[in-house]
Amino acid sequence: DDALHAHTTFSVEGQSAHANELESKKAQNVEDADKINENNAGDREAEVEEPDKTNISASSYDLITGLLKAGDWPEKSYNVNRCTGLEVRKALLLWCRNAIYVVDGFEQTDGEGLKGKINRLKKVTTSFQVNIRQHGAQNADATEKSKAKEKGTESTEDEITYQHRSQRIAFGDLYSVYRRRYQLQQNALEFYDVHRNGTLIAFSTNVEREEVLSKVLATPLPSSIFSSSVLGGATSINYKKFMNNLRAKITSQWVHGKMSNFDFIMHMNSFAGRTYNDLTQYPVFPWVLADYDSEELDLNDPNVYRDFSKPMGGQNEKRAVQFRDRYEALEQSYEFGDGPPPFHYGTHYSCAAYVLYYLMRLEPFSRLALSLQGGKFDVADRLFHNIGASWSSASSENLQDVRELIPEFFYLPDFLVNSNMFDFGTTQLGKTVHDLTLPRWAKGDPKRFIRIHRQALESDYVSRNLHQWLDLVFGFKQRGKEAVTALNTFVHVTYEGQVDLESITDPVERESIIAQIQNFGQTPSRLERKAFPPRVVLSAFKEKGLDFNALASLAALTPPFCVVGAPHRVYLRVLAVDTCKVGMAGQMDSSVGDLCHVKGQLLGVGRTCALILPSKKYYRFGGPNHGVSVHVSMTSARYREVNKVLSVHDGMHRGPISVAKPSLNGLWLLTGCIDSTVRVWKYNGQNMQLQATLCGHDGGKITCLDISTTFGSIVTGGSDGKILVWDLRTLTFLRTLHHPASAKGSVHDGSTKSPAVKSVSINHKNGNIVTLLHSTVCVFDINGNLIAKQDPGFNFEGNEVPSCAISTDCPEWMESGIVAVAGHMNGDVSLWSIDYDTELLVLRHILPERVHSCPITALRVSGDRQDTLLIGDKSGKMSACETVKLEQLNASELESLVVEMQMGDD
C-alpha cells in the first residue's frame, strides 16, 4: 500500500525542466507482475546486489565494465556523491565518449586516472519498528507491528551488503545540466535527461565540477536546451550568460501572462539552486491563503490571502515586534564582539525537517522522517495533522516557526492522505492523527483542497502581488539593509558564501557546521539585486465594454478550447475541410489514421499510418513484413516526392503490427501486434533500436497506444478490454486501470466478452489518462485513480456511440477547460470537461457544423494554446476547427457575453 508520489510535470517546452526534478513515485501492481517485462538493457539503470563477501579491490576497471553498455569505456573517472533526498551514496562518475555513468558503491583510491584502485563499498542498513493502523481502525490500539529497513547501522549476515546502481546518461538524451550547491559549497551538478529525470552529483572540489561542466557543454547535445538550434548556431556556451538570458526570457514571459505563477516560482527555485533531489534545498513555495476557517472561499476577496510583502515572521504584528527586539539585542552583542551576526529568526522557512513534516504520510519520505527522528515518528502534537493549525503556528503563534510551503501543496493530493496506514499516535486532546484535517471549504476532499489552492495561487490578487514575495526569497530583500528592514534575516550559516568548508581543517568543527547547514536550512541563491517586475494582470471585459488589447496577454493561460476573454464559453467553428490522400495506397478503406496542421495546411495519412511530427515523415505498418516503413509525408527542399519510401524495418514483431504510436518528439516508437505484445523502439532517423517487449495483455490484438516522454508513461489498450500503464524510464509494468462497471457493458452481439479498448490518450501537462472503453469515456490520474467518468445516465446508443477519444493538455486547476474530445460513429464530435464535485464528465459542446457523417477515426488537438481541433473520418474527409475569437463575434453576441461576465462577477 505504498503511497503514490507522482510529481506532475510543469515546464516550458524547449526551455527548461525546472519543475520536473523528481521521478514519479509510482506504486507497482504486483498482481500481473509475473507476466511483464521482457527487457533489453538499453540505456536504463542497472542494479546489482550481492551477498556479503570479502571486500574486493582491483587495479583496473574490470570490476565495473560489466555495468557498462557495449562500446562504452571510461576515459576519466571522478569520486562523487550521489544525492537523493537525505540519502548520500559514494559513487564513481565515469566519463565515456557518448555518455556519463554514475555507479554507486565504488570508490577510487591509490592512483590517478584509470590506473587507480577501485574499492567496493558496503551498503549499510538499519531497522526500526513502525506501528501500522488496521483498515477501519478507530483508535491507535488497533495496530500491528511492521519492520522496515533504511540506511544507518550494520546489517545481519543474511542481508545484502553490496549494492551497485549504475545509471547511464547518454549525451544524446541529456536535456539540461545545472550548477548546484551541496552543503552550501559550489561543487555539484544536476543532470536531467529527456524524461526529466534529475540526478544530483556532488564532486570533491569546485575544480572537478567545472571541469565536467565544461566537457559536457563542449559535447554535442542534440536534445538539450543548449543545442545549436536554440543558440542560433553558436558552438561555444558561456554557462552563466546562457542561464542569465534564459532567466530574463522566462521572467518576461511571466510578466506578460504567458506563464503560470506556479511554473514561474518553480523556475526561480531551480535557478536559485533548489532541487527535489536534496531535502535541505527543496523548492520553496509561499503560503498563499490566510483563511482556513470559512465554509466557502471567495478568491476574489483580498482578505483571504496572506500579505506577500512580508515574510511569515511579519504576518502578525505582535510577533513581528518580538523578532525586531531579538535582532536589535543580537546586534548590540555582535557590535561588542560577543555572539554571532544578528538575525530575526533562529529557524528557517525551508529545511529538510519541514519537508518531511509535510510529506510524512508519503513514501519514501516516511522512512526518511523516521531516520531523522531516530527510528520513530515524532509525538502526535508536533506532527502535520491540521493545515489551519500549521498556518496559525507559522504566521502568528510560534516564535520558532516561520516555515513556508512546498510545491506539493499545489498539485499532489496524495500527500494529505495516510494511505500507508501509519499509526501516528494521538494528540493530548485525544485526536487520532491520520489523514490531514482540511479547511472547511475543502469539504473533506483532498483533491478539492489542492484544486482550490492552485486556483488561489493563479488568482489575479496573487499575480499582482507575488513579485513582493519573490523579492524576499530570491531578490534584493534577501540580504543587507533591505532584508533587515523587511524583517527577513536568518542565521548567517544559511547564506551562500558564508561558510567555506574546504578551509576548515578541524573535523569536529567541520561536522558541526555541516549539521547546522542541514538542520537550519539553506537560503536560496540570490537572483536579483533589484526588485522583481510585477506581473501585468488584464481583463477583457471593462465597465465600458470589451478591451481587445488585453486578449493577447490572456490567451496563454486560457483553458483548451475556451474563448479567450470569456473562458466559461466553449465554441468551435470550422476552419478548413480537405480530403486525405497521403498513405492511402493499399488500404481496404479510406479511413484517416492520423493528421496534423503544418503552416496552416491540413495534412492527413491513412488508417495504417502514424505521423512523425518533427520530421514531416510518417510510419506505415500492418504489412506482411511484420514491421514498418518510413515515408515522406510532405514535400520539402530535401524530399520532393510525397509517399517516397525512406527506409524499411522488417521483422519488428512475430506477426502483423496492428497499431503504432510515435512520441511527440519523434525519438520513440510504440508498436502493438496482433499477438498482444507491445514493443518499445528508439528511432534516430535511420536505425530502429528495440528497447523492450511488454507482455501483459490476455491475447488478442493491441488496439491503441500512447506515450508521454514528459511523464515517462506508456499506456496500452487491447481487444481483451485491459488498459495497462507502464514506466517508459524503466520499461516496467506499473498498473492496470480499473474501469467502472458501466464501461464494461457487453458487446453488441450480446456476449459477455469484454469489449475492446477503443482509445487511450495521455495529458502531457499533468499525466492524466483519457480512455474509451465500450461507449464510456473516463479520466484517470497518473497514479491510476479514477478522476471522472461519463454520467451512467448519459448513454450513447446506435451510431451515436463514441468511436475514438483523445485528451487535451488541460491542467486540473482550470475547471472550465476541456479535458477530453470524443468522435462518434455518426460523425459528431463532442467536447467534455469535469465536474469535480460529482466526479462526472460534463458535455460542454458538440460541433454545430456537421462536416462529417460517418465514423470519426482520428483526432488531434493542435495549436500553441490548444485551440484547434483536427478531425478525420472513415471516408477520408478531414476538417480543422478553431475556437471562436471575440473579435469574430457580432455586436449582439458580444453584448450577451458582457452581461454574462458581469453577472459572474456579481
Side-chain angles (χ1 to χ4, degrees):
D1 288 333
D2 277 0
L4 314 175
H5 196 198
H7 277 70
T8 303
T9 302
F10 307 94
S11 65
V12 178
E13 188 62 32
Q15 294 180 7
S16 171
H18 299 322
N20 310 326
E21 298 173 331
L22 188 63
E23 296 181 25
S24 299
K25 307 292 183 184
K26 301 172 181 175
Q28 295 288 339
N29 234 353
V30 294
E31 58 179 318
D32 294 326
D34 57 338
K35 304 178 184 176
I36 314 302
N37 307 326
E38 184 186 312
N39 291 340
N40 287 356
D43 293 350
R44 302 187 303 282
E45 295 181 2
E47 197 167 275
V48 179
E49 297 182 342
E50 296 182 20
D52 190 7
K53 297 178 182 178
T54 304
N55 195 27
I56 301 170
S57 63
S59 58
S60 71
Y61 277 74
D62 295 341
L63 195 59
I64 57 175
T65 52
L67 299 173
L68 307 186
K69 184 179 179 181
D72 284 339
W73 182 256
E75 299 176 1
K76 189 167 184 179
S77 68
Y78 303 84
N79 284 326
V80 298
N81 287 320
R82 181 208 290 269
C83 310
T84 308
L86 285 178
E87 299 175 332
V88 179
R89 293 210 66 195
K90 288 188 176 181
L92 279 179
L93 185 144
L94 306 177
W95 180 276
C96 302
R97 178 177 296 179
N98 298 315
I100 58 174
Y101 284 83
V102 183
V103 188
D104 292 355
F106 288 106
E107 183 179 39
Q108 178 175 313
T109 58
D110 303 332
E112 296 183 0
L114 304 183
K115 297 181 180 179
K117 181 187 292 184
I118 303 299
N119 295 319
R120 302 180 71 187
L121 305 174
K122 286 187 177 182
K123 176 193 176 187
V124 290
T125 61
T126 188
S127 60
F128 43 78
Q129 289 204 334
V130 183
N131 291 338
I132 304 297
R133 292 170 53 87
Q134 292 181 350
H135 286 273
Q138 298 300 314
N139 56 64
D141 294 331
T143 63
E144 59 184 23
K145 299 288 183 180
S146 173
K147 288 188 178 179
K149 297 194 173 143
E150 191 51 52
K151 174 179 167 184
T153 61
E154 292 193 5
S155 62
T156 66
E157 294 181 1
D158 297 331
E159 292 173 344
I160 295 166
T161 56
Y162 294 108
Q163 186 177 49
H164 303 299
R165 178 190 181 200
S166 176
Q167 181 180 3
R168 182 180 191 264
I169 306 174
F171 294 130
D173 291 337
L174 189 65
Y175 181 76
S176 58
V177 58
Y178 299 99
R179 283 178 177 145
R180 291 286 184 252
R181 297 181 300 174
Y182 176 64
Q183 295 177 343
L184 280 178
Q185 305 303 298
Q186 285 288 354
N187 61 354
L189 291 175
E190 191 164 28
F191 300 93
Y192 293 96
D193 63 17
V194 289
H195 302 309
R196 312 304 198 262
N197 288 328
T199 304
L200 180 61
I201 301 299
F203 293 83
S204 301
T205 64
N206 174 268
V207 173
E208 288 188 350
R209 193 270 297 269
E210 292 303 308
E211 178 184 327
V212 171
L213 178 61
S214 297
K215 291 170 71 172
V216 168
L217 295 180
T219 304
L221 305 172
S223 303
S224 80
I225 61 175
F226 306 107
S227 65
S228 57
S229 58
V230 175
L231 296 171
T235 54
S236 61
I237 299 171
N238 182 316
Y239 176 87
K240 185 175 181 180
K241 182 178 179 181
F242 178 90
M243 286 299 170
N244 285 339
N245 290 339
L246 180 60
R247 180 158 54 84
K249 181 179 180 179
I250 287 172
T251 301
S252 176
Q253 288 179 332
W254 174 72
V255 166
H256 294 97
K258 296 181 179 179
M259 181 182 295
S260 69
N261 292 334
F262 181 96
D263 284 346
F264 186 63
I265 297 172
M266 279 304 309
H267 281 302
M268 294 303 103
N269 269 286
S270 191
F271 283 126
R274 313 299 283 192
T275 167
Y276 282 115
N277 281 317
D278 185 355
L279 295 190
T280 67
Q281 300 184 87
Y282 210 72
V284 56
F285 268 65
W287 284 95
V288 172
L289 295 168
D291 184 351
Y292 297 92
D293 299 316
S294 299
E295 289 287 346
E296 301 292 337
L297 199 65
D298 180 6
L299 296 181
N300 294 317
D301 181 2
N303 295 318
V304 304
Y305 297 96
R306 61 91 57 92
D307 187 341
F308 288 92
S309 68
K310 298 176 181 178
M312 289 305 294
Q315 297 296 313
N316 177 277
E317 185 55 35
K318 181 179 178 181
R319 194 173 65 149
V321 170
Q322 294 176 278
F323 289 132
R324 288 192 193 95
D325 291 344
R326 171 195 284 172
Y327 183 91
E328 292 170 1
L330 290 171
E331 186 177 38
Q332 288 181 357
S333 299
Y334 185 65
E335 289 174 353
F336 287 107
D338 183 21
F343 53 82
H344 292 107
Y345 315 111
T347 57
H348 206 265
Y349 50 75
S350 175
C351 67
Y354 293 165
V355 176
L356 297 177
Y357 167 84
Y358 289 131
L359 298 178
M360 67 178 190
R361 292 171 174 82
L362 206 60
E363 286 283 32
F365 304 99
S366 306
R367 284 174 287 160
L368 294 173
L370 288 165
S371 297
L372 202 66
Q373 291 290 335
K376 60 183 180 180
F377 291 113
D378 203 351
V379 297
D381 287 275
R382 290 203 294 261
L383 296 176
F384 183 42
H385 62 89
N386 184 313
I387 191 167
S390 293
W391 159 256
S392 297
S393 173
S395 64
S396 59
E397 293 178 356
N398 190 344
L399 285 172
Q400 304 303 318
D401 185 1
V402 290
R403 73 192 74 189
E404 292 276 12
L405 298 184
I406 55 176
E408 286 79 356
F409 275 87
F410 301 94
Y411 65 84
L412 189 71
D414 303 73
F415 86 100
L416 306 173
V417 181
N418 184 21
S419 57
N420 284 321
M421 300 301 291
F422 290 117
D423 179 11
F424 295 115
T426 306
T427 66
Q428 294 181 26
L429 296 177
K431 177 190 174 184
T432 299
V433 178
H434 186 41
D435 294 342
L436 188 73
T437 300
L438 300 172
R440 284 186 283 182
W441 45 260
K443 313 298 183 188
D445 182 359
K447 293 178 182 177
R448 178 182 173 87
F449 169 80
I450 295 294
R451 190 169 63 255
I452 293 176
H453 205 219
R454 177 64 189 273
Q455 290 168 353
L457 179 65
E458 305 298 342
S459 67
D460 287 350
Y461 179 87
V462 175
S463 296
R464 291 189 183 98
N465 293 281
L466 183 59
H467 65 283
Q468 299 179 87
W469 181 84
L470 295 168
D471 288 337
L472 294 167
V473 177
F474 304 111
F476 78 110
K477 293 183 179 180
Q478 187 195 88
R479 296 192 187 192
K481 293 181 180 179
E482 293 286 351
V484 175
T485 303
L487 208 73
N488 194 40
T489 62
F490 300 86
V491 177
H492 72 287
V493 296
T494 68
Y495 292 95
E496 183 177 13
Q498 295 297 306
V499 177
D500 183 7
L501 287 178
E502 293 183 10
S503 66
I504 301 175
T505 56
D506 184 350
V508 175
E509 182 183 358
R510 181 185 176 90
E511 289 301 316
S512 174
I513 293 293
I514 290 174
Q516 286 187 64
I517 292 171
Q518 292 179 334
N519 292 327
F520 280 109
Q522 299 181 44
T523 302
S525 298
R526 182 163 57 177
L527 301 178
E528 292 285 353
R529 295 181 180 273
K530 59 185 181 186
F532 273 87
R535 184 172 186 169
V536 178
V537 179
L538 300 172
S539 174
F541 290 89
K542 309 275 186 181
E543 291 183 7
K544 297 181 180 179
L546 193 62
D547 180 8
F548 288 106
N549 295 325
L551 298 181
S553 295
L554 296 172
L557 294 180
T558 298
F561 297 116
C562 294
V563 177
V564 176
H568 65 291
R569 292 290 296 269
V570 177
Y571 196 89
L572 275 68
R573 287 179 176 172
V574 176
L575 199 63
V577 179
D578 205 343
T579 302
C580 181
K581 300 172 183 176
V582 181
M584 284 292 186
Q587 280 196 185
M588 299 293 291
D589 57 30
S590 301
S591 298
V592 179
D594 199 2
L595 63 174
C596 67
H597 225 193
V598 182
K599 296 180 180 178
Q601 180 179 345
L602 192 55
L603 171 65
V605 292
R607 178 177 57 84
T608 56
C609 304
L611 287 164
I612 311 172
L613 293 180
S615 60
K616 299 179 183 177
K617 302 174 186 176
Y618 69 89
Y619 292 112
R620 189 181 185 107
F621 59 89
N625 68 336
H626 301 173
V628 303
S629 52
V630 180
H631 302 253
V632 175
S633 65
M634 192 175 187
T635 56
S636 63
R638 184 176 181 184
Y639 303 115
R640 298 189 177 277
E641 182 184 345
V642 174
N643 291 323
K644 179 181 179 180
V645 178
L646 299 177
S647 62
V648 178
H649 307 273
D650 294 327
M652 294 171 63
H653 280 266
R654 294 176 180 174
I657 293 175
S658 55
V659 61
K661 180 70 176 182
S663 61
L664 290 178
N665 61 13
L667 301 178
W668 295 80
L669 173 66
L670 301 181
T671 53
C673 183
I674 63 170
D675 65 2
S676 78
T677 62
V678 175
R679 283 188 165 171
V680 185
W681 308 84
K682 267 190 175 178
Y683 178 63
N684 62 5
Q686 295 179 329
N687 302 317
M688 197 74 68
Q689 299 174 328
L690 178 64
Q691 302 301 303
T693 300
L694 310 178
C695 305
H697 288 274
D698 297 330
K701 70 178 182 180
I702 302 299
T703 56
C704 49
L705 301 164
D706 203 6
I707 177 173
S708 171
T709 54
T710 304
F711 284 92
S713 298
I714 295 171
V715 185
T716 62
S719 59
D720 59 353
K722 292 173 66 174
I723 300 177
L724 307 181
V725 184
W726 314 75
D727 191 328
L728 176 62
R729 295 154 177 157
T730 59
L731 295 170
T732 53
F733 172 73
L734 287 176
R735 63 184 58 85
T736 300
L737 297 185
H738 298 288
H739 283 74
S742 60
K744 303 176 183 178
S746 62
V747 291
H748 299 300
D749 60 7
S751 71
T752 57
K753 173 183 161 187
S754 296
V757 182
K758 294 180 180 178
S759 297
V760 292
S761 181
I762 302 174
N763 181 321
H764 297 281
K765 279 286 187 186
N766 57 22
N768 287 352
I769 301 165
V770 169
T771 65
L772 174 57
L773 180 63
H774 191 38
S775 62
T776 303
V777 179
C778 294
V779 182
F780 295 83
D781 69 17
I782 193 172
N783 287 327
N785 302 309
L786 181 64
I787 297 176
K789 61 183 178 181
Q790 217 168 277
D791 190 336
F794 196 97
N795 291 325
F796 291 108
E797 296 180 355
N799 65 354
E800 295 180 348
V801 169
S803 53
C804 60
I806 57 167
S807 172
T808 69
D809 287 346
C810 182
E812 62 279 359
W813 59 272
M814 292 184 174
E815 292 189 31
S816 60
I818 298 301
V819 300
V821 181
H824 297 256
M825 297 293 290
N826 63 357
D828 280 343
V829 177
S830 55
L831 285 74
W832 303 78
S833 59
I834 296 177
D835 183 337
Y836 287 96
D837 291 330
T838 62
E839 297 183 346
L840 295 175
L841 286 167
V842 178
L843 179 60
R844 292 286 301 281
H845 186 60
I846 294 180
L847 296 189
E849 301 174 68
R850 291 293 300 272
V851 173
H852 303 273
S853 56
C854 60
I856 303 299
T857 57
L859 295 166
R860 185 182 290 276
V861 179
S862 183
D864 291 338
R865 68 168 205 88
Q866 300 222 310
D867 60 350
T868 304
L869 179 63
L870 310 181
I871 308 163
D873 68 21
K874 192 173 182 178
S875 70
K877 183 180 286 187
M878 305 182 297
S879 64
C881 302
E882 189 178 52
T883 305
V884 298
K885 297 179 173 60
L886 290 180
E887 306 95 294
Q888 300 169 337
L889 301 181
N890 57 43
S892 62
E893 290 173 324
L894 283 175
E895 186 177 346
S896 65
L897 266 183
V898 171
V899 173
E900 284 181 18
M901 297 297 289
Q902 290 173 342
M903 290 178 63
D905 291 340
D906 294 340

